[in-house]
Amino acid sequence: MSNITRTPTRGLPALWNDLFNSRGELDRLFEGRFPNFGGTLFPSVDVEETEDGIRLTAELPGLKTEDIHVTVENGVLSISGEKTREREEKDENTYHLVERQYGRFQRSFTLPKSADADKVSAKFEDGVLTVVVAKAAEAKPKRIKIG
């Protein structure tokens, strides 16, 4: 007779809870020691391909247009700037949790070969930066009429 012990299987939700708890412990351990370690990159960016190009949408709450720089160089699109701390350190203030990120930031994205780096537009509205990079004309799909 073999002594096989079956370990009860744990459901997926329990596994996720363990992972998130471990992540929280790591975040607290490294908090403030390394930029963006254990936290999310700032700014959060969505990258989407459309029929006409690439659209990047970045959340930049609390910034002004003059705080943000968008550049394209050697096929790399970069978003950079600085978010300054708004709060004042006073003796009567006791912060129990500080999650907002401050300081200089930069996010860079390598553009696909189909992108036309000469046709880039950007707009900033309500704390959201939208950058659109057009596709080169030869990269767009062409519908061929069957005769």
Side-chain angles (χ1 to χ4, degrees):
M1 224 192 245
S2 65
N3 291 335
I4 298 175
T5 308
R6 183 172 178 159
T7 336
T9 56
R10 294 173 36 175
L12 191 58
L15 175 64
W16 282 112
N17 284 336
D18 288 348
L19 288 173
F20 286 123
N21 288 338
S22 297
R23 167 84 188 262
E25 291 171 21
L26 282 172
D27 287 351
R28 283 188 292 283
L29 177 67
F30 290 105
E31 187 175 310
R33 289 180 177 78
F34 302 101
N36 296 325
F37 187 87
T40 58
L41 291 173
F42 178 80
S44 297
V45 177
D46 291 341
V47 180
E48 150 186 38
E49 183 174 2
T50 67
E51 187 176 313
D52 296 326
I54 308 293
R55 180 183 304 132
L56 289 89
T57 307
E59 293 181 346
L60 295 164
L63 293 177
K64 300 180 190 91
T65 304
E66 55 269 15
D67 299 329
I68 305 163
H69 307 284
V70 178
T71 60
V72 176
E73 184 177 358
N74 297 326
V76 176
L77 183 136
S78 296
I79 301 169
S80 61
E82 184 168 8
K83 184 175 181 182
T84 55
R85 183 171 286 193
E86 299 167 358
R87 64 186 174 129
E88 293 181 26
E89 299 292 333
K90 295 181 181 179
D91 290 335
E92 66 267 10
N93 292 350
T94 304
Y95 287 91
H96 295 281
L97 179 66
V98 177
E99 292 184 337
R100 298 183 334 175
Q101 296 180 9
Y102 301 96
R104 298 194 56 73
F105 63 87
Q106 179 171 343
R107 297 288 310 271
S108 296
F109 304 90
T110 302
L111 296 173
K113 292 181 182 180
S114 62
D116 186 346
D118 293 328
K119 294 184 180 174
V120 179
S121 64
K123 71 175 185 172
F124 185 63
E125 189 175 314
D126 297 329
V128 177
L129 174 70
T130 303
V131 180
V132 176
V133 182
K135 282 185 182 176
E138 60 272 4
K140 293 181 185 175
K142 296 176 186 167
R143 184 161 179 101
I144 309 298
K145 186 176 179 179
I146 301 172

mmCIF file of all heavy atoms in Angstrom, residues 22-42 99 101:
data_model
loop_
_atom_site.group_PDB
_atom_site.id
_atom_site.type_symbol
_atom_site.label_atom_id
_atom_site.label_comp_id
_atom_site.label_asym_id
_atom_site.label_seq_id
_atom_site.Cartn_x
_atom_site.Cartn_y
_atom_site.Cartn_z
ATOM 1 N N SER A 22 1.128 38.816 -1.522
ATOM 2 C CA SER A 22 2.586 38.795 -1.660
ATOM 3 C C SER A 22 3.060 40.057 -2.356
ATOM 4 O O SER A 22 4.071 40.644 -1.973
ATOM 5 C CB SER A 22 3.035 37.569 -2.464
ATOM 6 O OG SER A 22 2.689 36.394 -1.784
ATOM 7 N N ARG A 23 2.338 40.476 -3.389
ATOM 8 C CA ARG A 23 2.703 41.697 -4.113
ATOM 9 C C ARG A 23 2.657 42.901 -3.180
ATOM 10 O O ARG A 23 3.532 43.746 -3.184
ATOM 11 C CB ARG A 23 1.754 41.882 -5.298
ATOM 12 C CG ARG A 23 1.788 43.231 -5.962
ATOM 13 C CD ARG A 23 2.901 43.325 -6.991
ATOM 14 N NE ARG A 23 3.043 44.670 -7.480
ATOM 15 C CZ ARG A 23 2.532 45.116 -8.606
ATOM 16 N NH1 ARG A 23 1.867 44.314 -9.375
ATOM 17 N NH2 ARG A 23 2.706 46.364 -8.972
ATOM 18 N N GLY A 24 1.614 42.954 -2.334
ATOM 19 C CA GLY A 24 1.496 44.057 -1.383
ATOM 20 C C GLY A 24 2.649 44.091 -0.402
ATOM 21 O O GLY A 24 3.168 45.156 -0.066
ATOM 22 N N GLU A 25 3.080 42.925 0.055
ATOM 23 C CA GLU A 25 4.214 42.859 0.971
ATOM 24 C C GLU A 25 5.485 43.328 0.282
ATOM 25 O O GLU A 25 6.299 44.052 0.873
ATOM 26 C CB GLU A 25 4.369 41.437 1.501
ATOM 27 C CG GLU A 25 3.245 41.030 2.445
ATOM 28 C CD GLU A 25 3.278 39.552 2.809
ATOM 29 O OE1 GLU A 25 4.339 38.920 2.673
ATOM 30 O OE2 GLU A 25 2.231 39.039 3.243
ATOM 31 N N LEU A 26 5.705 42.928 -0.973
ATOM 32 C CA LEU A 26 6.882 43.384 -1.725
ATOM 33 C C LEU A 26 6.832 44.884 -1.955
ATOM 34 O O LEU A 26 7.857 45.565 -1.851
ATOM 35 C CB LEU A 26 6.980 42.652 -3.061
ATOM 36 C CG LEU A 26 7.517 41.236 -3.007
ATOM 37 C CD1 LEU A 26 7.381 40.576 -4.372
ATOM 38 C CD2 LEU A 26 8.960 41.217 -2.550
ATOM 39 N N ASP A 27 5.646 45.410 -2.287
ATOM 40 C CA ASP A 27 5.507 46.852 -2.490
ATOM 41 C C ASP A 27 5.941 47.611 -1.240
ATOM 42 O O ASP A 27 6.671 48.591 -1.314
ATOM 43 C CB ASP A 27 4.064 47.221 -2.831
ATOM 44 C CG ASP A 27 3.666 46.823 -4.235
ATOM 45 O OD1 ASP A 27 4.556 46.418 -5.012
ATOM 46 O OD2 ASP A 27 2.459 46.897 -4.541
ATOM 47 N N ARG A 28 5.473 47.147 -0.074
ATOM 48 C CA ARG A 28 5.820 47.817 1.181
ATOM 49 C C ARG A 28 7.313 47.697 1.475
ATOM 50 O O ARG A 28 7.941 48.632 1.956
ATOM 51 C CB ARG A 28 5.003 47.243 2.330
ATOM 52 C CG ARG A 28 3.568 47.749 2.352
ATOM 53 C CD ARG A 28 2.829 47.315 3.610
ATOM 54 N NE ARG A 28 2.602 45.884 3.651
ATOM 55 C CZ ARG A 28 1.669 45.239 2.960
ATOM 56 N NH1 ARG A 28 0.872 45.918 2.185
ATOM 57 N NH2 ARG A 28 1.519 43.937 3.056
ATOM 58 N N LEU A 29 7.913 46.558 1.158
ATOM 59 C CA LEU A 29 9.331 46.345 1.419
ATOM 60 C C LEU A 29 10.200 47.304 0.619
ATOM 61 O O LEU A 29 11.163 47.862 1.136
ATOM 62 C CB LEU A 29 9.703 44.890 1.089
ATOM 63 C CG LEU A 29 11.167 44.515 1.244
ATOM 64 C CD1 LEU A 29 11.568 44.572 2.714
ATOM 65 C CD2 LEU A 29 11.417 43.120 0.684
ATOM 66 N N PHE A 30 9.864 47.510 -0.667
ATOM 67 C CA PHE A 30 10.705 48.319 -1.536
ATOM 68 C C PHE A 30 10.192 49.742 -1.741
ATOM 69 O O PHE A 30 10.773 50.495 -2.509
ATOM 70 C CB PHE A 30 10.848 47.640 -2.902
ATOM 71 C CG PHE A 30 11.685 46.397 -2.831
ATOM 72 C CD1 PHE A 30 11.092 45.154 -2.884
ATOM 73 C CD2 PHE A 30 13.053 46.480 -2.691
ATOM 74 C CE1 PHE A 30 11.853 44.009 -2.816
ATOM 75 C CE2 PHE A 30 13.828 45.344 -2.614
ATOM 76 C CZ PHE A 30 13.230 44.107 -2.678
ATOM 77 N N GLU A 31 9.132 50.110 -1.053
ATOM 78 C CA GLU A 31 8.519 51.421 -1.251
ATOM 79 C C GLU A 31 9.532 52.544 -1.069
ATOM 80 O O GLU A 31 10.231 52.626 -0.069
ATOM 81 C CB GLU A 31 7.375 51.613 -0.253
ATOM 82 C CG GLU A 31 6.572 52.877 -0.480
ATOM 83 C CD GLU A 31 5.381 52.942 0.453
ATOM 84 O OE1 GLU A 31 4.636 51.957 0.519
ATOM 85 O OE2 GLU A 31 5.225 53.967 1.118
ATOM 86 N N GLY A 32 9.632 53.409 -2.058
ATOM 87 C CA GLY A 32 10.497 54.569 -1.982
ATOM 88 C C GLY A 32 11.965 54.291 -2.243
ATOM 89 O O GLY A 32 12.763 55.207 -2.303
ATOM 90 N N ARG A 33 12.363 53.029 -2.401
ATOM 91 C CA ARG A 33 13.773 52.716 -2.592
ATOM 92 C C ARG A 33 14.187 52.688 -4.054
ATOM 93 O O ARG A 33 15.297 53.015 -4.389
ATOM 94 C CB ARG A 33 14.099 51.385 -1.931
ATOM 95 C CG ARG A 33 14.080 51.498 -0.413
ATOM 96 C CD ARG A 33 14.407 50.162 0.231
ATOM 97 N NE ARG A 33 14.464 50.266 1.671
ATOM 98 C CZ ARG A 33 13.425 50.310 2.477
ATOM 99 N NH1 ARG A 33 12.215 50.311 1.976
ATOM 100 N NH2 ARG A 33 13.576 50.388 3.769
ATOM 101 N N PHE A 34 13.292 52.254 -4.927
ATOM 102 C CA PHE A 34 13.582 52.170 -6.349
ATOM 103 C C PHE A 34 12.425 52.786 -7.109
ATOM 104 O O PHE A 34 11.279 52.499 -6.808
ATOM 105 C CB PHE A 34 13.739 50.701 -6.794
ATOM 106 C CG PHE A 34 14.808 49.970 -6.042
ATOM 107 C CD1 PHE A 34 14.484 49.116 -5.007
ATOM 108 C CD2 PHE A 34 16.137 50.148 -6.384
ATOM 109 C CE1 PHE A 34 15.465 48.444 -4.311
ATOM 110 C CE2 PHE A 34 17.122 49.475 -5.693
ATOM 111 C CZ PHE A 34 16.799 48.623 -4.661
ATOM 112 N N PRO A 35 12.715 53.625 -8.126
ATOM 113 C CA PRO A 35 11.610 54.208 -8.881
ATOM 114 C C PRO A 35 10.836 53.139 -9.629
ATOM 115 O O PRO A 35 11.422 52.279 -10.269
ATOM 116 C CB PRO A 35 12.319 55.166 -9.854
ATOM 117 C CG PRO A 35 13.724 54.681 -9.925
ATOM 118 C CD PRO A 35 14.015 54.005 -8.614
ATOM 119 N N ASN A 36 9.532 53.174 -9.482
ATOM 120 C CA ASN A 36 8.599 52.290 -10.185
ATOM 121 C C ASN A 36 8.755 50.819 -9.829
ATOM 122 O O ASN A 36 8.168 49.970 -10.471
ATOM 123 C CB ASN A 36 8.725 52.462 -11.704
ATOM 124 C CG ASN A 36 8.331 53.848 -12.119
ATOM 125 O OD1 ASN A 36 7.441 54.447 -11.547
ATOM 126 N ND2 ASN A 36 9.018 54.374 -13.101
ATOM 127 N N PHE A 37 9.553 50.456 -8.827
ATOM 128 C CA PHE A 37 9.680 49.045 -8.462
ATOM 129 C C PHE A 37 8.518 48.676 -7.563
ATOM 130 O O PHE A 37 8.264 49.319 -6.570
ATOM 131 C CB PHE A 37 10.991 48.772 -7.725
ATOM 132 C CG PHE A 37 11.208 47.306 -7.493
ATOM 133 C CD1 PHE A 37 11.826 46.529 -8.451
ATOM 134 C CD2 PHE A 37 10.764 46.703 -6.344
ATOM 135 C CE1 PHE A 37 12.009 45.183 -8.249
ATOM 136 C CE2 PHE A 37 10.934 45.358 -6.136
ATOM 137 C CZ PHE A 37 11.563 44.598 -7.088
ATOM 138 N N GLY A 38 7.809 47.638 -7.920
ATOM 139 C CA GLY A 38 6.693 47.177 -7.103
ATOM 140 C C GLY A 38 5.422 47.959 -7.319
ATOM 141 O O GLY A 38 4.392 47.614 -6.805
ATOM 142 N N GLY A 39 5.486 49.036 -8.090
ATOM 143 C CA GLY A 39 4.296 49.808 -8.362
ATOM 144 C C GLY A 39 4.043 49.835 -9.851
ATOM 145 O O GLY A 39 4.679 49.136 -10.625
ATOM 146 N N THR A 40 3.121 50.651 -10.247
ATOM 147 C CA THR A 40 2.852 50.748 -11.665
ATOM 148 C C THR A 40 3.721 51.831 -12.258
ATOM 149 O O THR A 40 4.150 52.747 -11.566
ATOM 150 C CB THR A 40 1.370 51.081 -11.907
ATOM 151 O OG1 THR A 40 1.081 52.316 -11.239
ATOM 152 C CG2 THR A 40 0.466 49.991 -11.392
ATOM 153 N N LEU A 41 3.980 51.725 -13.538
ATOM 154 C CA LEU A 41 4.733 52.767 -14.209
ATOM 155 C C LEU A 41 3.846 53.986 -14.359
ATOM 156 O O LEU A 41 2.641 53.879 -14.562
ATOM 157 C CB LEU A 41 5.180 52.283 -15.583
ATOM 158 C CG LEU A 41 6.230 51.186 -15.597
ATOM 159 C CD1 LEU A 41 6.442 50.692 -17.027
ATOM 160 C CD2 LEU A 41 7.536 51.679 -15.028
ATOM 161 N N PHE A 42 4.444 55.138 -14.239
ATOM 162 C CA PHE A 42 3.703 56.378 -14.398
ATOM 163 C C PHE A 42 4.230 57.059 -15.645
ATOM 164 O O PHE A 42 5.439 57.190 -15.781
ATOM 165 C CB PHE A 42 3.899 57.290 -13.189
ATOM 166 C CG PHE A 42 3.196 58.608 -13.340
ATOM 167 C CD1 PHE A 42 1.845 58.695 -13.095
ATOM 168 C CD2 PHE A 42 3.876 59.729 -13.749
ATOM 169 C CE1 PHE A 42 1.184 59.901 -13.246
ATOM 170 C CE2 PHE A 42 3.226 60.928 -13.904
ATOM 171 C CZ PHE A 42 1.879 61.016 -13.651
ATOM 172 N N GLU A 99 -0.007 57.241 -2.108
ATOM 173 C CA GLU A 99 0.142 56.366 -3.263
ATOM 174 C C GLU A 99 0.421 57.129 -4.549
ATOM 175 O O GLU A 99 0.873 56.545 -5.519
ATOM 176 C CB GLU A 99 -1.126 55.519 -3.467
ATOM 177 C CG GLU A 99 -1.336 54.506 -2.381
ATOM 178 C CD GLU A 99 -2.537 53.616 -2.641
ATOM 179 O OE1 GLU A 99 -3.448 54.018 -3.392
ATOM 180 O OE2 GLU A 99 -2.540 52.513 -2.095
ATOM 181 N N GLN A 101 2.243 59.286 -7.289
ATOM 182 C CA GLN A 101 3.656 59.369 -7.627
ATOM 183 C C GLN A 101 4.012 60.779 -8.081
ATOM 184 O O GLN A 101 3.221 61.435 -8.755
ATOM 185 C CB GLN A 101 3.982 58.372 -8.733
ATOM 186 C CG GLN A 101 3.769 56.945 -8.300
ATOM 187 C CD GLN A 101 4.103 55.978 -9.425
ATOM 188 O OE1 GLN A 101 4.640 56.347 -10.455
ATOM 189 N NE2 GLN A 101 3.781 54.723 -9.217
#
